[in-house]
Amino acid sequence: MTDDARREYHRPVHRPADTFDRRFGSTDPAEVSRAAHATASALLTRVRDEPEGEVVDRLVSFTDTHGIDTLAELWSHSPALSLPGALWRLYLLQLMVRRDARTAALLYERGRSALGTVDDVVAGAPTPAGPEELMALVDEILRGVFTGDFAVALERAASFCRVEAAGSLDLADDHDVAEPDRAAGFTTRALRLDTYAAELTACAGLWRRDSLT
């Protein structure tokens, strides 16, 4: 990256959504980490201070328009228990549902029946929750990041992950004998979602202690 490019990147962000429109090509881990934390903090602070509807809409639908690559470049290498790490996981969760809402809905309904906890209530999905309802739910959770209680949004996302994970495990059991490869795929998905749930819950606790950076 040239000196001119670095100066351009580190200029103050005047429009919140512009944070995502900049590319960062450094391979220095320390510089990448600083950029990740700076962009996440600037974005969240500016939008939450002035939550304009059009800006929030752009952020909620960002991956529909731009894909996930820009976010991956900014945040994917961040620690799980950090502000950019939390935001990265929320966008990944939204993308997972949008890419295959039908499967997500199936897993959610199976998980709701199998789990037997308050997570379904905390996540806030309607009953029953079809593909359209789940896409609306993950958008609502992400919108809450910018316009509501950030910790609550993280906790809702964590509960959603736990319900989906339980559904994945339940479906894996169905295919364990006849389709072991498919069962393994659902088991892997369940483990990933369960990990996200634990990480997002921990991030919510850190946020409430003003320690999520």
Side-chain angles (χ1 to χ4, degrees), residues 4-211:
D4 288 342
R6 285 194 179 91
R7 282 194 293 272
E8 171 63 22
Y9 182 82
H10 288 292
R11 287 176 184 171
V13 178
H14 297 293
R15 291 184 299 158
D18 285 350
T19 303
F20 287 160
D21 296 331
R22 301 174 182 224
R23 292 286 179 165
F24 187 71
S26 176
T27 57
D28 180 350
E31 195 167 356
V32 171
S33 178
R34 284 194 296 270
H37 286 78
T39 54
S41 178
L43 177 75
L44 198 64
T45 298
R46 289 176 181 273
V47 177
R48 288 177 66 84
D49 284 348
E50 299 179 26
E52 299 177 9
E54 182 180 349
V55 172
V56 174
D57 288 344
R58 283 183 62 194
L59 293 173
V60 171
S61 63
F62 185 85
T63 59
D64 290 342
T65 306
H66 303 284
I68 198 70
D69 289 349
T70 301
L71 302 185
E73 190 173 357
L74 285 169
W75 297 337
S76 65
H77 298 294
S78 300
L81 304 189
S82 70
L83 183 57
L87 291 173
W88 171 240
R89 282 154 181 76
L90 290 171
Y91 274 103
L92 282 180
L93 186 62
Q94 182 198 45
L95 189 64
M96 178 197 79
V97 174
R98 286 186 169 275
R99 279 183 170 173
D100 190 356
R102 188 177 298 277
T103 296
L106 171 62
L107 297 181
Y108 196 91
E109 288 304 309
R110 294 287 292 264
R112 181 171 7 216
S113 299
L115 199 55
T117 67
V118 299
D119 284 300
D120 174 43
V121 176
V122 173
T127 304
E132 294 294 329
E133 287 78 12
L134 276 203
M135 286 192 292
L137 176 64
V138 292
D139 285 357
E140 178 187 322
I141 290 172
L142 189 56
R143 187 176 299 276
V145 166
F146 303 110
T147 62
D149 187 316
F150 186 72
V152 169
L154 293 178
E155 288 168 344
R156 291 185 68 188
S159 288
F160 180 87
C161 286
R162 278 189 282 269
V163 177
E164 287 276 309
S168 293
L169 283 178
D170 197 49
L171 208 57
D173 289 342
D174 288 355
H175 298 287
D176 194 35
V177 175
E179 299 177 274
D181 289 343
R182 191 175 184 191
F186 282 120
T187 300
T188 299
R189 180 169 179 159
L191 291 173
R192 185 186 308 116
L193 285 164
D194 196 54
T195 299
Y196 283 178
E199 291 167 348
L200 291 169
T201 299
C203 285
L206 289 171
W207 176 265
R208 288 197 168 98
R209 298 193 297 274
D210 294 324
S211 299

